[in-house]
Amino acid sequence: MVGRKTQENCNLTKSIDQKPVGVALIGAGMIARTHVAALSEARADIALKTIVSRHPEKALYLKEFYEGPAPEFSSDLTAVANDPDIPVAIVATPPSVRKEIIEELARAGTHILLEKPLGRTPEEALEVVEICEREQVCLGVLFQHRMRAPSMAAARHVASGALGKLGLVEIAVPLWRDQSYYDELGRGTYARDGGGVMITNAIHSIDLALSLTGPVESVQAMTATTALHNMEAEDFAVAGLRFACGAVGSFIASTAMYPHRTEIIRLHFENGSLKMDKDALEVSWRDGRTIIEAKDHDPRTVRPVLGGKHEWHQAVIEDFVEAVHHGRKPMVTGREALVSHQLIAAIEASSKIGNPVTLPPC
């Protein structure tokens, strides 16, 4: 077992030796159904024990998505935090109410897998990371796009070095949300969500891209709220990017692009290019070969709000439990997730002042 806990390794403060590992789901909102389905099909040594909601009676519908013994439904976070049979909690509440939940769970030694984003601002995100480091509990972030087969295949290609030097990056997040999406109380506001399309939707593609390219050094950007939505924060963002590795790139994201399409990341290297979406990886080598890898032969229809397959969440949950059990870092640690928050903040700042913004060093 490891020594003092950092975000590079997980040090157990609450036992995880029992079988199965008890998991609590904190929050019963839009994404809860996906988490419950993921936990239902997770490894046999992982079990959903409790769903915590301010109004447990409104969360009872989630039972139909779980095939194991029915979980308890509770509003008592303190009892769950102090339950020795629940060493892991998935926190899936709005960002505006997370910090207090994380503080209570961390003080009790419960390891936390957190739905994105870490916080509404980079400062709040850092505070969340430091709370967990101080209490020596493991903090993982649920960036499930990294668990897509095309994403993992792309990571292998980049790691191999065969593609050569990275020169150009394209990140496109062309989404559609109708007004009813933003009519939900607090949706698309800075007070509840911390922003609009970038921090709520595009952050997944931002994280995935940065995991392959390394950090961004500077940005020149514009953000706006289109006439297609009535909301406080941005539903459109575009930026030119300069990466620390010397590459340049573009970023565009919106929830005002109809019809709804899938996110696409293209990486152009010396010896070839990668095109990645949720269903396949296309590798175009400079010698003329084009290879399709990691193709999903049963892709789901692209529809707004529904999100991806629960298998990606399931893979992240299983990885996190395994990381806690063996004292290694999870797929995405809280501290690693901070770079995505810093890039979003830099894009917002550049748009506000109309000039390029340099990001802080990692």
Side-chain angles (χ1 to χ4, degrees):
M1 193 54 62
V2 295
R4 185 184 181 280
K5 160 86 173 53
T6 72
Q7 284 300 304
E8 294 304 310
N9 297 285
C10 294
N11 183 34
L12 306 185
T13 57
K14 184 185 284 190
S15 174
I16 200 170
D17 293 331
Q18 73 278 356
K19 303 290 184 180
V21 175
V23 176
L25 174 61
I26 316 298
M30 184 183 298
I31 197 64
R33 173 178 168 177
T34 300
H35 282 293
V36 173
L39 286 160
S40 181
E41 296 189 15
R43 295 192 324 241
D45 61 343
I46 300 172
L48 175 59
K49 294 293 188 181
T50 305
I51 296 175
V52 179
S53 172
R54 288 179 297 176
H55 305 287
E57 68 281 359
K58 295 182 180 180
L60 292 175
Y61 77 96
L62 291 168
K63 286 192 293 187
E64 66 180 280
F65 301 105
Y66 191 68
E67 295 182 0
E72 295 181 0
F73 290 81
S74 173
S75 61
D76 191 346
L77 177 67
T78 300
V80 170
N82 290 285
D83 188 336
D85 293 329
I86 302 179
V88 170
I90 299 170
V91 178
T93 62
S96 57
V97 296
R98 283 188 185 163
K99 194 175 76 169
E100 294 76 12
I101 292 170
I102 290 165
E103 285 178 328
E104 183 158 4
L105 291 169
R107 282 197 303 267
T110 304
H111 304 283
I112 300 166
L113 179 57
L114 183 62
E115 266 289 348
K116 56 75 188 169
L118 282 166
R120 292 166 292 180
T121 64
E123 294 77 17
E124 188 174 71
L126 178 59
E127 192 173 357
V128 165
V129 170
E130 291 178 340
I131 287 168
C132 293
E133 290 180 344
R134 182 175 65 247
E135 300 298 338
Q136 299 191 358
V137 297
C138 189
L139 174 63
V141 185
L142 221 148
F143 281 126
Q144 73 273 10
H145 287 199
R146 291 208 201 182
M147 287 299 190
R148 292 171 171 175
S151 303
M152 293 188 286
R156 290 192 293 270
H157 276 287
V158 172
S160 75
L163 288 160
K165 185 175 178 61
L166 179 64
L168 179 64
V169 176
E170 302 175 71
I171 307 167
V173 187
L175 310 180
W176 168 251
R177 298 289 189 269
D178 63 28
Q179 183 57 41
S180 64
Y181 180 77
Y182 292 110
D183 288 341
E184 180 183 334
L185 184 63
R187 175 76 70 186
T189 67
Y190 293 101
R192 193 194 88 151
D193 289 347
V197 61
M198 286 192 291
I199 200 164
T200 300
N201 310 101
I203 193 170
H204 283 292
S205 295
I206 290 171
D207 166 77
L208 176 57
L210 295 182
S211 74
L212 300 170
T213 65
V216 170
E217 189 174 80
S218 65
V219 302
Q220 172 80 66
M222 185 193 85
T223 65
T225 306
T226 71
L228 302 178
H229 288 132
N230 179 21
M231 58 187 290
E232 178 187 10
E234 87 292 343
D235 67 351
F236 171 81
V238 62
L241 311 174
R242 190 172 297 278
F243 292 82
C245 67
V248 296
S250 64
F251 166 78
I252 185 168
S254 181
T255 52
M257 294 181 173
Y258 187 89
H260 184 81
R261 288 162 286 160
T262 189
E263 308 95 327
I264 294 178
I265 296 172
R266 290 181 171 91
L267 306 178
H268 303 280
F269 296 84
E270 287 177 307
N271 302 323
S273 297
L274 303 179
K275 175 192 171 187
M276 211 182 344
D277 62 24
K278 68 183 181 62
D279 296 328
L281 173 69
E282 182 179 289
V283 186
S284 300
W285 295 98
R286 292 288 183 269
D287 62 11
R289 291 175 296 141
T290 297
I291 302 169
I292 305 298
E293 299 183 16
K295 185 173 178 59
D296 188 345
H297 295 285
D298 185 29
R300 60 178 290 165
T301 302
V302 179
R303 296 192 181 99
V305 181
L306 291 182
K309 300 178 180 181
H310 72 260
E311 288 85 353
W312 302 327
H313 284 73
Q314 177 184 335
V316 177
I317 293 167
E318 291 177 341
D319 171 81
F320 184 76
V321 171
E322 189 76 7
V324 171
H325 188 72
H326 292 288
R328 64 165 173 83
K329 72 174 185 175
M331 182 191 68
V332 183
T333 68
R335 193 161 284 279
E336 288 170 342
L338 291 174
V339 294
S340 296
H341 287 269
Q342 291 168 350
L343 177 55
I344 290 170
I347 291 172
E348 291 173 335
S350 176
S351 177
K352 184 175 181 179
I353 66 175
N355 291 316
V357 167
T358 300
L359 279 74
C362 296

